[in-house]
Amino acid sequence: MSEIRKKAESAANKPAKYGPDIDFNQYTTEAPDYPEKELEEIDIVNPDTLLNAGVDITGQGRSGSFVQVDRTVIHTSQKEEGIEVLAMRKALEIYPWLKDYVWKAVPVDQDKYTARAELDFQNGYFIRALPGAVSTLPVQACLYLKSNNINQNVHNIVIAEEGSELHIITGCATDSPEIRGLHVGISEFYIKKNAKISFTMIHNWAEKIAVRPRSAIIIEEGGVFLNNYVCLNPVASLQLYPTAYLSGRGAVARFNSILLARPGTHMDVGSRAILSEKDTRCEMIARALSTGGEIISRGLMVGETDGVKGHLECRGMILKGEGRIYAIPELDGRVEGVDLSHEAAVGKIAREEVEYLMARGLTEDEAVATIVRGFMRVDIEGIPDVLKKQIDRAIKLSETSLM
Amino acid sequence: MLLEIENLSVSVEGKELLKDVNLSLDRGETQMLFGENGSGKTSLLMAIMGLGNYRIDSGRIIFKGKDITNLPPYERARMGIGIMFQRPPTIRGLKVRQVLELIQHNGVDPEELASQLNFSQFLDRDLNLGFSGGELKRAELLQLMAQDPDLVLLDEPESGVDLVNISLIGQAIRKLLQKDLHRKREKAGLIITHSGFILDYVEADKGCVLVNKTIWCTGNPHEILEGIRKNGYEGCLTCQR
């Protein structure tokens, strides 16, 4: 038995540090095998649901596509030179060296979910930008739950080789709101010297889905990682806390999260950055909005050497109902000369702002919607316009159901 | 009459702020509102706009012949009342450009308006976020220009504004109030001022003083200001109404 497998087995029942525990026995890993299809021929997914998660099955404006339904990868394609998009199982066959990247950033024995992804490894995506390759259009990756009660376990690896630039949009979606399921997703990102990855993830799950992503990012000298996470639709339980290791001089990481929790939704979402080399920088910006659900918004920055700089900002708004927003910003400076700061605020919508806009002729509902839209707007730089539009679209779609 | 306030009494949480206020304003007319700090000037403007948790205990407000005493602020705004806030709130994520697009109704171009107020570089900033005193006033005026109201309520337009900006702001207010039109002037203004500086830019037709929660007197604005400068607001109390 391999060392990795042994570790996984040892952690098979290890509860996660955060988030409600999930009983695997309530889910099945059995699902039909779906046939591979060309992108435009895919007929077993709901295209509107996917589009709302940023995945366009016409493939327009994308440099590559990946679609996995339940356990099966039904489509992979690549359109730009130097950008590879493969199913993980296939990539592991083609590239023997790839195994050296597996479980290198995320520990396999972190908890029962990482262990699960190893012990019942289904598939996932492998996306790589070759040295110097610059993708102007994003690669889209879709992870889709179709069968009821399914437990989907994916393991993804993303590599930006030296001097490359890669944009990815991942849309996660559910076939119908009635479906119950558990998604476990391991994502390991490797950003080589002077490379850049922007990773935009729009979650479009449903009321009965539990989600446990486990991600880590290793950023080498001069590398940049931009993470945009948007979850505005219902989800039963979501817990994620990706870790960025800024381990090369001048590495940069920026995390933006836009979260909306409706009644019945529990989110425990955060990001962590370990700044261990000189001149590394990190910024975390979170917007948490509750209309009755619970959001725990975490953030941790560790400054391990002098000359590092980090700022964390969390703003929470409880719009209505018995919602809860619990902001936990943490700074851990371990040497002289670190520069870490945070600001956090949790409140309600300000009456004076509503009245201000009403005095300009907006009805109360219009004023509230305008303020909420502004609250959720985060100035995101460094991603293609098409991705900004996808994020704006997701926010706009969520607005209609807020009032 | 454009605006008629009849025997208006206003309170907040049981505390009386205004008592039996009577005030009227015709189309094309500009009236200054004087009064010491805490005399209720801002409360009167807020009550006209329908803002805050002000309770109307008695009296009524008539605008364009319609009783608006119980209308929500947005209906008053849509009827043609606009207000410049003394301390406008910051709205994060809402760009100045977006708010202008939202509130304008005459197809005005935000760029064009902003250039008039030398404010173009602020169009893509969050509304009022980190604005200086003068910038806040310009943002307020810009919104009023987009709204183009028939009655403009200005709460201390010159406060916190440096000498360079005061002329710019004065000119914008003149424009809002159609001061360059004489026979066809339609726009009316009710302006709170402490310093009276704004009188150098905007000719006012009338002035009134709020003392003891009510309009104590109405008259020539320059004479009233002169009287207050000489004798203070205490002087008003000894003055025969």
Side-chain angles (χ1 to χ4, degrees):
Chain A
M1 195 191 299
S2 77
E3 203 53 37
I4 284 175
R5 190 132 187 121
K6 264 191 223 162
K7 278 186 171 177
E9 288 197 341
S10 73
N13 296 310
K14 182 180 170 184
K17 195 171 174 188
Y18 303 114
D21 192 52
I22 291 166
D23 179 4
F24 292 133
N25 293 324
Q26 291 188 11
Y27 300 92
T28 172
T29 52
E30 283 172 26
D33 274 329
Y34 306 102
E36 277 189 41
K37 295 257 183 177
E38 287 305 313
L39 196 58
E40 55 276 13
E41 289 169 2
I42 294 175
D43 52 3
I44 58 165
V45 300
N46 180 341
D48 293 334
T49 313
L50 274 193
L51 198 59
N52 294 346
V55 175
D56 187 341
I57 63 161
T58 68
Q60 275 176 1
R62 304 290 190 259
S63 64
S65 299
F66 167 94
V67 182
Q68 176 168 342
V69 178
D70 296 340
R71 305 175 59 99
T72 318
V73 175
I74 60 166
H75 175 83
T76 60
S77 58
Q78 53 199 54
K79 290 200 288 196
E80 260 184 56
E81 197 149 325
I83 308 294
E84 283 182 288
V85 182
L86 293 167
M88 260 302 274
R89 283 190 179 277
K90 191 164 183 189
L92 284 164
E93 280 171 30
I94 299 174
Y95 298 125
W97 50 262
L98 183 56
K99 65 178 189 316
D100 296 335
Y101 288 84
V102 176
W103 299 118
K104 190 178 157 198
V106 176
V108 65
D109 56 356
Q110 182 178 316
D111 56 34
K112 63 194 258 190
Y113 307 102
T114 53
R116 180 77 165 182
E118 171 62 24
L119 298 173
D120 177 37
F121 168 50
Q122 297 166 2
N123 219 325
Y125 54 77
F126 168 74
I127 301 173
R128 178 165 75 137
L130 296 178
V134 174
S135 80
T136 47
L137 295 173
V139 172
Q140 60 180 0
C142 165
L143 298 161
Y144 195 83
L145 295 186
K146 187 169 175 69
S147 303
N148 196 27
N149 265 349
I150 185 79
N151 164 213
Q152 180 183 60
N153 302 315
V154 300
H155 195 142
N156 311 311
I157 303 266
V158 179
I159 301 172
E161 300 285 3
E162 274 194 29
S164 67
E165 183 172 329
L166 182 58
H167 301 280
I168 300 171
I169 181 161
T170 299
C172 295
T174 313
D175 201 51
S176 96
E178 296 309 311
I179 285 178
R180 211 176 148 270
L182 167 64
H183 167 88
V184 174
I186 311 302
S187 299
E188 298 184 276
F189 296 82
Y190 299 93
I191 303 174
K192 305 289 179 70
K193 191 174 172 182
N194 297 328
K196 172 180 168 180
I197 291 180
S198 88
F199 185 73
T200 299
M201 182 151 72
I202 300 178
H203 271 172
N204 196 11
W205 299 111
E207 280 94 344
K208 297 175 187 168
I209 308 289
V211 185
R212 293 291 181 272
R214 296 288 178 262
S215 306
I217 310 99
I218 295 177
I219 313 167
E220 295 181 11
E221 185 181 334
V224 176
F225 180 67
L226 307 177
N227 186 80
N228 302 303
Y229 178 62
V230 179
C231 187
L232 306 170
N233 281 311
V235 60
S237 166
L238 165 72
Q239 189 268 314
L240 60 91
Y241 202 6
T243 304
Y245 297 93
L246 290 91
S247 52
R249 188 165 188 151
V252 173
R254 195 180 302 136
F255 290 89
N256 297 313
S257 314
I258 305 170
L259 311 168
L260 165 62
R262 297 159 203 271
T265 288
H266 175 92
M267 293 180 181
D268 187 329
V269 173
S271 34
R272 205 166 7 204
I274 315 296
L275 296 101
S276 57
E277 271 298 324
K278 276 190 192 305
D279 303 327
T280 52
R281 283 180 291 133
C282 181
E283 188 179 56
M284 296 172 182
I285 294 175
R287 296 282 182 271
L289 184 71
S290 168
T291 57
E294 180 174 16
I295 300 174
I296 300 174
S297 177
R298 298 178 195 276
L300 169 63
M301 290 189 188
V302 182
E304 293 187 334
T305 186
D306 66 326
V308 305
K309 197 172 165 68
H311 183 68
L312 193 163
E313 178 191 301
C314 173
R315 288 183 188 280
M317 189 192 280
I318 301 173
L319 197 58
K320 59 183 177 188
E322 304 282 305
R324 181 186 186 211
I325 295 173
Y326 183 16
I328 312 172
E330 292 181 275
L331 305 177
D332 184 357
R334 296 186 179 172
V335 287
E336 187 189 331
V338 299
D339 180 1
L340 304 174
S341 60
H342 76 72
E343 54 178 309
V346 177
K348 59 178 182 181
I349 195 158
R351 187 67 206 162
E352 60 161 357
E353 292 176 31
V354 176
E355 285 206 340
Y356 182 76
L357 292 177
M358 287 174 78
R360 303 280 183 240
L362 273 64
T363 65
E364 184 157 1
D365 282 354
E366 288 166 347
V368 168
T370 302
I371 293 162
V372 168
R373 194 181 311 138
F375 174 81
M376 291 203 281
R377 180 169 289 121
V378 174
D379 287 325
I380 295 170
E381 287 167 14
I383 63 170
D385 277 347
V386 60
L387 294 183
K388 284 185 192 168
K389 282 189 189 140
Q390 286 295 348
I391 293 171
D392 284 344
R393 186 171 189 273
I395 292 173
K396 227 180 170 87
L397 280 171
S398 71
E399 266 171 34
T400 47
S401 55
L402 281 179
M403 297 309 140
Chain B
M1 278 293 158
L2 182 66
L3 175 73
E4 289 169 274
I5 297 175
E6 298 171 354
N7 300 316
L8 190 73
S9 296
V10 171
S11 63
V12 165
E13 291 166 1
K15 188 184 169 204
E16 188 176 61
L17 297 176
L18 295 170
K19 192 180 178 191
D20 289 333
V21 167
N22 288 287
L23 185 147
S24 63
L25 206 58
D26 220 337
R27 286 183 189 272
E29 208 173 36
T30 298
Q31 181 161 345
M32 293 290 158
L33 180 58
F34 300 100
E36 62 185 329
N37 288 334
S39 61
K41 303 186 297 297
T42 297
S43 303
L44 177 58
L45 259 51
M46 300 285 270
I48 296 172
M49 198 70 236
L51 298 170
N53 48 348
Y54 296 93
R55 210 185 99 172
I56 309 290
D57 295 320
S58 62
R60 53 184 199 154
I61 306 167
I62 314 286
F63 182 66
K64 293 182 177 172
K66 187 179 172 187
D67 187 339
I68 61 164
T69 317
N70 298 308
L71 287 185
Y74 70 90
E75 286 194 37
R76 302 182 199 212
R78 290 175 183 183
M79 283 177 72
I81 307 180
I83 187 166
M84 174 198 241
F85 286 76
Q86 198 189 353
R87 292 187 193 84
T90 294
I91 305 185
R92 283 173 186 272
L94 178 63
K95 307 295 176 198
V96 174
R97 182 191 302 279
Q98 291 167 322
V99 80
L100 294 178
E101 284 163 358
L102 274 176
I103 66 179
Q104 62 85 23
H105 51 85
N106 292 333
V108 293
D109 176 13
E111 299 277 354
E112 163 67 25
L113 285 186
S115 71
Q116 290 178 34
L117 275 166
N118 195 12
F119 210 63
S120 304
Q121 69 274 32
F122 291 85
L123 279 175
D124 293 309
R125 298 250 313 252
D126 286 4
L127 185 63
N128 301 332
L129 181 63
F131 287 10
S132 71
E135 288 157 3
L136 286 172
K137 301 296 182 196
R138 281 191 280 162
E140 288 293 290
L141 283 171
L142 196 55
Q143 292 173 67
L144 283 176
M145 284 159 76
Q147 282 181 278
D148 194 24
D150 297 322
L151 170 62
V152 186
L153 308 172
L154 303 176
D155 197 346
E156 294 197 32
E158 74 273 49
S159 75
V161 180
D162 60 43
L163 285 171
V164 181
N165 277 307
I166 198 156
S167 140
L168 190 69
I169 282 167
Q171 293 305 329
I173 294 172
R174 283 187 60 82
K175 200 163 182 182
L176 267 178
L177 295 173
Q178 297 176 322
K179 286 297 181 188
D180 293 330
L181 294 181
H182 295 286
R183 290 178 59 184
K184 288 185 178 167
R185 189 185 298 151
E186 288 284 320
K187 309 290 186 183
L190 182 58
I191 307 177
I192 296 179
T193 181
H194 263 297
S195 65
F197 287 158
I198 200 68
L199 277 168
D200 296 343
Y201 298 91
V202 181
E203 307 90 49
D205 303 288
K206 291 195 285 193
C208 60
V209 190
L210 244 176
V211 177
N212 278 357
K213 304 173 189 169
T214 196
I215 301 286
W216 194 258
C217 70
T218 303
N220 179 301
H222 293 277
E223 284 177 14
I224 291 177
L225 185 64
E226 202 47 45
I228 295 166
R229 278 184 182 151
K230 247 191 199 156
N231 307 316
Y233 288 103
E234 302 81 24
C236 291
L237 291 169
T238 57
C239 174
Q240 203 164 4
R241 292 171 75 177

